[in-house]
Amino acid sequence: MSSFDSRRRARDEDDAAATKRARRRQRHLYLVVDDWELGYSIHKLDVDEFESDAGGGGNKLRRLPEPCALRIEAPADCSPAILASIGTKIFFITDRWFRAETPMLIYDTETASLAVGPRPTPALRPLGFIFFVPVDQRLYAFNPRRGDQQCSFEVLSRAPRDEEDEFRLSRIAERWSVASVPAPMPLGKHELVTAYAVHPDGRTIFASAWNRSRLVGERDEGTHSFDTRSSVWTWHGEWKLPFHDQGYYVEELDAWVGLRRDGFLCSCAVASRGGTAALPEWKLGRKTLFREDPKSHVGAPKLTYMGDGRFCLVECAPRPGLTVAEALNDEDGCVLHVTIFEVKYGKRGELETTALHLARSYLVTRYTRGFSAQAFWM
């Protein structure tokens, strides 16, 4: 067996063990929010307590549980942090512009430990409109082109524990590495990614892009897919996925489900990996899921998939009677809504959410409108 095969086998064994541990443990919502002046907090929420409020206690304004699971110092006067996750780990990038000396931070929700991750490669700096996609215990990072540069495409993965590294301080601790993928995303110069989703095969990433320039001769929009095993891109046509940001595959519907900017939920039939000339059939929910006016949102609402058709929506807005400017930096100036619901198809095939919504609302202090509070189900 070659040294490459040995390293690959060791990495796969570590990934399989991590997946099994995640299945055994009880899961919680981990809510990340900029609720203190010097940075961010991670709060651990027990969903069983939401269910005990189903009789009507969900409208009560509460405080987030203290003490929080973790606080990370990254002052609000810096650029907003970027979050990503794999398995039981939350990756925390405190510097959006990725100064060379700033490493990623990795919080493991299983061990409640914080580790220093790898430093970003030059290709990932600055982040700009970057997005991260978790696939098979690896995190793929897409960074659109800057000026005349080509789009960068990197992958973050576990490094084998026995791999030699002169800078490694411990042979026991888990280590992560960043490497370039030799197949950059074929975006046009003025295109920005609007939506993405992972195919149920667990290896193919679909990504849609929109052309912000609309110059003559350039396409308005389009969708590609990337096979993470063969490192091959496939063009699917001048259409884009109907939701914004990340879509999630829901096995019960055999469809991707995502959120639009106006708060309407939508489902989309899974596109064929071999090429799809037109947008697959999709359906729109009957009403918006937002509880607040989108113009008053503090950060973009975030959707998180919890499995078995259940979702969590995190939405934040100023406390009643305050403007966004007045709410920021003001103690308890914002209300953060956490809503859990299920999706299904009705008798006529329409997209529906469950009549019973599990919800809690929290008074919080927020320091930057550019950061979106987000929950992770782990």
Side-chain angles (χ1 to χ4, degrees):
M1 181 181 293
S2 68
S3 59
F4 174 81
D5 290 336
S6 298
R7 291 196 300 270
R8 179 65 181 265
R9 181 177 180 180
R11 184 169 57 217
D12 289 345
E13 288 175 352
D14 283 348
D15 291 347
T19 301
K20 289 180 180 178
R21 288 195 300 270
R23 289 174 179 171
R24 286 197 299 265
R25 60 193 292 272
Q26 180 184 359
R27 291 188 169 189
H28 295 82
L29 282 173
Y30 289 85
L31 178 68
V32 184
V33 60
D34 58 324
D35 59 354
W36 69 306
E37 186 177 9
L38 293 180
Y40 304 84
S41 302
I42 300 180
H43 297 272
K44 184 178 180 180
L45 306 181
D46 188 346
V47 173
D48 290 340
E49 295 180 359
F50 282 60
E51 295 176 353
S52 67
D53 291 339
N59 294 324
K60 176 183 176 182
L61 288 178
R62 303 170 180 270
R63 304 281 181 181
L64 287 168
E66 291 288 352
C68 62
L70 179 72
R71 279 201 170 95
I72 295 178
E73 186 170 326
D77 58 354
C78 294
S79 56
I82 291 179
L83 307 174
S85 68
I86 305 175
T88 63
K89 302 181 188 297
I90 299 174
F91 290 77
F92 209 98
I93 303 165
T94 59
D95 184 359
R96 179 179 290 268
W97 301 113
F98 257 159
R99 296 178 180 89
E101 69 276 8
T102 306
M104 302 179 189
L105 299 177
I106 306 172
Y107 176 65
D108 191 328
T109 59
E110 182 178 25
T111 61
S113 61
L114 184 68
V116 177
R119 288 179 171 81
T121 61
L124 287 180
R125 301 193 302 264
L127 273 75
F129 296 98
I130 199 168
F131 65 101
F132 293 87
V133 185
V135 178
D136 191 24
Q137 294 296 317
R138 294 170 179 81
L139 196 63
Y140 287 84
F142 299 78
N143 198 6
R145 69 180 68 223
R146 303 177 300 281
D148 293 329
Q149 298 180 28
Q150 194 175 45
C151 303
S152 64
F153 188 12
E154 311 286 296
V155 60
L156 178 67
S157 61
R158 289 183 178 88
R161 295 179 185 273
D162 59 351
E163 185 175 86
E164 294 295 331
D165 186 342
E166 61 178 315
F167 299 106
R168 189 171 187 180
L169 300 178
S170 170
R171 295 187 179 278
I172 300 175
E174 183 176 66
R175 191 169 66 88
W176 293 78
S177 62
V178 181
S180 294
V181 179
M185 186 175 183
L187 280 182
K189 182 177 181 180
H190 301 104
E191 289 182 314
L192 297 176
V193 173
T194 59
Y196 57 93
V198 178
H199 192 276
D201 67 359
R203 58 186 270 188
T204 306
I205 302 169
F206 277 74
S208 294
W210 167 75
N211 191 325
R212 65 182 185 274
S213 73
R214 296 183 178 273
L215 295 176
V216 176
E218 293 186 356
R219 63 187 181 224
D220 292 335
E221 58 191 22
T223 296
H224 290 84
S225 68
F226 178 74
D227 188 319
T228 58
R229 292 187 186 175
S230 64
S231 294
V232 173
W233 285 96
T234 300
W235 168 247
H236 292 271
E238 294 191 29
W239 55 270
K240 61 186 179 72
L241 294 166
F243 42 80
H244 179 73
D245 204 9
Q246 185 172 4
Y248 302 88
Y249 177 69
V250 177
E251 184 177 2
E252 291 77 5
L253 305 184
D254 191 25
W256 288 315
V257 174
L259 190 69
R260 302 201 323 177
R261 287 184 180 274
D262 57 8
F264 282 82
L265 202 68
C266 61
S267 65
C268 176
V270 175
S272 169
R273 293 175 301 168
T276 305
L279 171 65
E281 180 184 0
W282 66 285
K283 299 178 181 181
L284 187 66
R286 291 185 294 181
K287 61 180 181 179
T288 180
L289 296 178
F290 290 164
R291 299 172 62 176
E292 305 283 355
D293 183 349
K295 295 180 181 179
S296 67
H297 281 151
V298 179
K302 288 290 186 178
L303 192 67
T304 300
Y305 188 45
M306 302 170 63
D308 299 325
R310 287 203 305 173
F311 284 87
C312 171
L313 176 64
V314 176
E315 179 186 7
C316 189
R319 194 178 70 233
L322 298 181
T323 65
V324 173
E326 293 169 339
L328 291 175
N329 299 291
D330 184 58
E331 184 175 359
D332 295 337
C334 294
V335 177
L336 189 145
H337 304 291
V338 180
T339 305
I340 299 171
F341 59 90
E342 293 182 5
V343 295
K344 65 177 183 178
Y345 285 140
K347 294 181 179 179
R348 299 180 181 178
E350 67 275 20
L351 181 63
E352 295 181 346
T353 60
T354 52
L356 175 62
H357 286 235
L358 305 178
R360 279 194 169 186
S361 297
Y362 302 93
L363 281 172
V364 296
T365 304
R366 295 291 305 274
Y367 289 91
T368 173
R369 192 174 189 178
F371 177 75
S372 299
Q374 186 171 352
F376 297 91
W377 178 241
M378 297 178 168

